[in-house]
Amino acid sequence: MNYTTQMDAAKKGIITKEMEVVAEKEHIDVNALRQLIAEGKVVIPANKNHKSLSAEGVGQGLRTKINVNLGISKDCCNLDGELEKVRTAIEMKAEAIMDLSNYGKTEHLRKKIVDMSTAMLGTVPMYDAIGFYDKDLKDITVDEFFRVVEKHGEDGVDFVTIHAGLNKETARIVKNNPRLTNIVSRGGSLLFAWMELNHAENPFYEHYDRLLDICEKYDITISLGDACRPGSINDATDPAQIKELITLGELTKRAWERNVQVMIEGPGHMPLNEIKANMLLEKKLCHGAPFYVLGPLVTDVAPGYDHITSAIGGAIAAASGADFLCYVTPAEHLRLPTLEDMKEGIIAARIAAHAGDIAKGIKGATDWDNAMSKARADLDWEKMFKLSIDEEKARRYRKESSPENEDSCTMCGKMCSMRTMKKILNNEDLNI
């Protein structure tokens, strides 16, 4: 039986090879997974042209996934450096990579990533349009916008962020409800500017069926972008954000009618006490579609440490229903991240995702923690290193401060509680 997309196959009762891979990774029944995909509650972003992909599922009942942003800019145009980030991100178990290149002819880098990446690849075609055509934003035509989306599909991109919910009505609400930080989404701000300059409707909203045609053709998952995500805690959960979310819910249903898979993007900067409610709002207004969040960053005052502000919010978001976390690095708001910045961002996001999985009871999530706790009780340092989320750092820290007794560390020495309990319970000489 033929099918066009993973959702089309799921509705027809077909088990695809990608579903089998995801079911094995998640230790769940493949038919249960197929049903969730048919309902739109799980997506498997898997472009037909991405041959190196190791499929991942995003959504209800699955492990929280993380995404790594990278890409070149006019000020930092090092292709080899970005490809090294891709290799490192995959080694560090990131499930997704977004190429956010916004300078020059980006096709070469994008194709390189598709060829080498087992992780799913996302892009924001809006970023590419200006460099692709080498013309002013105002002068880019509707046809040209869609030609870029088609090109990304041809190249093998698995999911595209499209800010289709920023229509004229949402733009009116933005203007009538002033924010501290206006529209902070780069793609959203460019679309807003294009609409204002041309006195026109958002082409991705007005011609949404044309977008669905492209996504159905290549099985691209639409990541419905949050142009109005809050860029400060002051702007969180405001009229523009909620209006856009309602529109995204409507667009989700239209995509599902065409068997196009959908994720919803979310905040942004947000106080701790608003995160849980926002996760509930998204799931309600967008009919259970997977939720992909940037952070949320829970304070605005920590440049240089925003991987931490993001991890705090990300853990709460994941515990409250978010399915996919976009990492944030220490360089957020400051500069293009280095390789080391990326590593710190990945670790922080993975910690947040795993903490969320424990809280929402994902099958097998606590097995890793229990194994680590057992190794600590046994003072099995080698096993502790191997179970560490960052093995290299754990080994380096211990090596940098060697204890007198190998079964302890330099924090407690012979007064180590694990050492004391192990020896007492085994009737061994304590010798403190």
Side-chain angles (χ1 to χ4, degrees), residues 270-301:
M270 182 160 287
L272 282 169
N273 59 307
E274 295 184 25
I275 294 173
K276 185 175 181 179
N278 268 263
M279 301 306 107
L280 178 63
L281 270 175
E282 185 279 337
K283 291 292 184 177
K284 287 282 190 180
L285 295 176
C286 296
H287 323 293
F291 200 20
Y292 174 27
V293 297
L294 177 64
L297 283 72
V298 296
T299 179
D300 303 333
V301 299

Side-chain angles (χ1 to χ4, degrees), residues 192-212:
F192 183 91
W194 184 92
M195 292 163 65
E196 292 289 304
L197 291 168
N198 288 284
H199 308 288
E201 181 57 279
N202 178 347
F204 295 114
Y205 178 79
E206 185 175 7
H207 306 286
Y208 189 60
D209 285 328
R210 188 171 175 182
L211 176 64
L212 297 179

Side-chain angles (χ1 to χ4, degrees), residues 185-320:
S185 159
R186 184 164 56 188
S189 66
L190 290 171
L191 262 177
F192 183 91
W194 184 92
M195 292 163 65
E196 292 289 304
L197 291 168
N198 288 284
H199 308 288
E201 181 57 279
N202 178 347
F204 295 114
Y205 178 79
E206 185 175 7
H207 306 286
Y208 189 60
D209 285 328
R210 188 171 175 182
L211 176 64
L212 297 179
D213 288 340
I214 297 171
C215 292
E216 183 181 23
K217 180 178 178 181
Y218 299 99
D219 197 2
I220 304 171
T221 298
I222 301 178
S223 187
L224 286 170
D226 52 339
C228 297
R229 71 172 180 263
S232 61
I233 58 172
N234 179 80
D235 297 342
T237 325
D238 74 346
Q241 181 195 334
I242 301 306
K243 172 61 176 70
E244 183 182 35
L245 190 60
I246 292 169
T247 304
L248 298 185
E250 295 168 351
L251 295 174
T252 296
K253 289 197 289 187
R254 287 178 59 187
W256 287 347
E257 289 169 1
R258 294 284 302 276
N259 297 317
V260 173
Q261 300 184 100
V262 175
M263 298 186 290
I264 307 297
E265 294 189 9
H269 293 233
M270 182 160 287
L272 282 169
N273 59 307
E274 295 184 25
I275 294 173
K276 185 175 181 179
N278 268 263
M279 301 306 107
L280 178 63
L281 270 175
E282 185 279 337
K283 291 292 184 177
K284 287 282 190 180
L285 295 176
C286 296
H287 323 293
F291 200 20
Y292 174 27
V293 297
L294 177 64
L297 283 72
V298 296
T299 179
D300 303 333
V301 299
Y305 299 91
D306 276 330
H307 59 310
I308 297 174
T309 65
S310 172
I312 294 168
I316 296 170
S320 304

Side-chain angles (χ1 to χ4, degrees), residues 30 41 47 80 92 132 161 168 179 189 194 203 212 216 220 230 256 295-296 305 327 369 406 430:
V30 72
K41 294 175 181 175
N47 187 308
D80 289 339
M92 295 181 72
F132 189 84
T161 293
K168 281 186 173 181
R179 293 172 143 194
S189 66
W194 184 92
L212 297 179
E216 183 181 23
I220 304 171
W256 287 347
Y305 299 91
Y327 91 150
D369 300 79
E406 282 302 311
L430 190 57

